[in-house]
Amino acid sequence: MALTLLSTTLYLVLTLSPSLLSSASQETNFLDQKPTAYEILGDYNFPKGLLPKGVVGYSLDITTGRFSAFLNGSCSFSLEGSYQLRYKSSVSGYISKGKLSRLEGVSVKVFFMWVDIIEVLRNGDDLEFSVGIAGAGFPIDNFEECPQCGCGLKCGGDKRKVSKIRSNPFVSSS
């Protein structure tokens, strides 16, 4: 009788263990999933469209705010047919609620030269971009969607436009 009870218990443990371990493993994987770089932007009160589609990874030191986002390669596109943006394969800086500072890896073409965007501030429903001595502001709604390398927001017939709130952005100091 004891042998039968022992063998039945052993049989149940051996047949149920893999399914129990499998479901426990799935729960652990679900809980351990790292948020995306786009979700991290949202955690700091920024829209996901500050980064182009195709971010393959990122790092974030939550104690210092130091972050890096990684693309498959460099990326460039135009918005409105006039703003040309360029992202290096690695974009880095410091992030805090409503502020991206000491940015590296993102530039905008102003007249005939490329200048680095060094800071982005959230000011209510606007984002203010600084290139140092000059800046420009845009409604946050313009950044709800992520631009795509090569075609920006006008990919596949999408006619969405980015609206300006200043007539001469990046020309005079704010």
Side-chain angles (χ1 to χ4, degrees):
M1 167 105 174
L3 186 59
T4 306
L5 182 60
L6 180 63
S7 60
T8 303
T9 304
L10 206 68
Y11 172 78
L12 287 174
V13 166
L14 291 175
T15 56
L16 293 178
S17 290
S19 64
L20 291 174
L21 287 174
S22 171
S23 73
S25 172
Q26 288 174 351
E27 288 176 24
T28 301
N29 288 338
F30 176 74
L31 295 175
D32 291 339
Q33 284 183 350
K34 183 177 175 180
T36 67
Y38 308 104
E39 292 168 331
I40 293 296
L41 284 174
D43 291 345
Y44 286 92
N45 208 20
F46 283 106
K48 66 182 181 178
L50 284 179
L51 289 171
K53 289 181 182 178
V55 171
V56 295
Y58 72 93
S59 66
L60 173 65
D61 181 338
I62 57 173
T63 58
T64 64
R66 176 81 175 151
F67 80 93
S68 296
F70 309 104
L71 301 166
N72 273 332
S74 63
C75 172
S76 62
F77 51 87
S78 290
L79 297 176
E80 285 189 27
S82 61
Y83 295 106
Q84 292 181 342
L85 294 171
R86 183 169 57 192
Y87 288 74
K88 291 184 178 177
S89 59
S90 176
V91 175
S92 61
Y94 290 84
I95 191 168
S96 59
K97 283 283 187 201
K99 183 177 183 178
L100 292 164
S101 60
R102 295 167 53 188
L103 283 174
E104 296 176 2
V106 183
S107 55
V108 62
K109 194 170 189 179
V110 178
F111 298 113
F112 297 105
M113 60 186 220
W114 289 94
V115 292
D116 294 331
I117 296 174
I118 59 169
E119 186 174 72
V120 181
L121 298 172
R122 176 151 185 186
N123 186 6
D125 289 335
D126 293 329
L127 291 178
E128 298 174 3
F129 295 81
S130 173
V131 295
I133 60 170
F138 300 91
I140 200 163
D141 294 347
N142 290 340
F143 301 91
E144 290 175 355
E145 297 299 319
C146 297
Q148 187 171 322
C149 296
C151 56
L153 295 172
K154 295 184 179 185
C155 303
D158 185 3
K159 302 298 182 205
R160 183 168 172 210
K161 290 186 80 175
V162 175
S163 61
K164 296 185 256 184
I165 60 172
R166 281 195 231 169
S167 58
N168 293 317
F170 296 116
V171 175
S172 63
S173 296
S174 309

